[in-house]
Amino acid sequence: MDSHQPLTMIRRDTRAWRAQVWISFGIAASLCATGLAWLPGEHLDRAFMVMGYVFCLCSAFVLAKTIRDNQEQRQDSPMWSNVAWAGFVLAMVLTAWGLWRMNIQPVWKSYLLVSWLFLISCVFTLAKTLRDAYDADLLEARWTARQEGRHEARQHAARNAE
């Protein structure tokens, strides 16, 4: 095995996948923003829906990070995990309730529902993609440091042998 090549065990997403994830997230956010900007009805309803979407967006990122951080070994306190889950569930339920009770045409509700669920799905995919890239960078940095340490040890041993 060539000692100058990183291990093939370090898995990285393709550039196409990363582009697709970011493009999907951008489209989902744009669809939500467009739907909320043109939403008919009361200003208070629109404001509630914007806050609900932002709350869902943020709580989905928090939940994704919490789950990933505790995947192999518990890093966070049980209370933090409960807060992350409760925040996500509360955001989803309140936003769904707000959408349900709005006095708008069913086509608008359908548009907002589909774009909202698309956004939440894209958040989890984006969070996973970003974390996978971080983990791969960390593994590669450790591998490189280990290789440099071995190289320096060989040089040191060669100098001492002379």
Side-chain angles (χ1 to χ4, degrees), residues 39 50 56 60 72 79 97 118 125 128 133 143 150 156 160-161:
L39 182 65
V50 168
C56 286
E72 294 173 10
M79 182 55 99
W97 174 76
F118 180 36
T125 306
K128 182 185 181 322
W143 183 85
R150 287 181 185 150
H156 182 69
N160 287 344

Side-chain angles (χ1 to χ4, degrees), residues 32-156:
C32 288
T34 301
L36 293 171
W38 291 96
L39 182 65
E42 300 296 318
H43 294 302
L44 188 58
D45 286 339
R46 248 191 316 255
F48 179 86
M49 291 309 296
V50 168
M51 288 187 307
Y53 277 44
V54 170
F55 187 18
C56 286
L57 182 71
C58 295
S59 65
F61 273 115
V62 168
L63 181 60
K65 182 179 183 333
T66 300
I67 290 170
R68 187 68 181 263
D69 285 350
N70 295 293
Q71 181 179 359
E72 294 173 10
Q73 177 181 341
R74 182 169 287 281
Q75 302 291 325
D76 297 320
S77 71
M79 182 55 99
W80 175 253
S81 295
N82 291 340
V83 167
W85 274 103
F88 178 72
V89 169
L90 185 64
M92 296 296 284
V93 167
L94 286 176
T95 303
W97 174 76
L99 187 57
W100 175 261
R101 64 162 281 288
M102 284 184 75
N103 190 20
I104 56 175
Q105 295 176 357
V107 69
W108 274 103
K109 286 185 182 185
S110 298
Y111 177 90
L112 290 173
L113 177 68
V114 170
S115 64
W116 170 47
L117 295 177
F118 180 36
L119 179 65
I120 297 304
S121 174
C122 289
V123 165
F124 284 112
T125 306
L126 178 59
K128 182 185 181 322
T129 301
L130 292 172
R131 183 62 179 264
D132 286 348
Y134 171 78
D135 288 347
D137 289 344
L138 195 59
L139 284 172
E140 191 171 318
R142 288 178 182 160
W143 183 85
T144 301
R146 218 174 300 143
Q147 290 302 104
E148 289 172 359
R150 287 181 185 150
H151 180 70
E152 289 174 11
R154 276 188 239 123
Q155 286 180 337
H156 182 69

Side-chain angles (χ1 to χ4, degrees), residues 11-22 129:
R11 193 184 119 258
R12 290 198 177 271
D13 293 325
T14 63
R15 188 175 313 155
W17 171 255
R18 290 188 310 268
Q20 187 268 328
V21 168
W22 278 104
T129 301

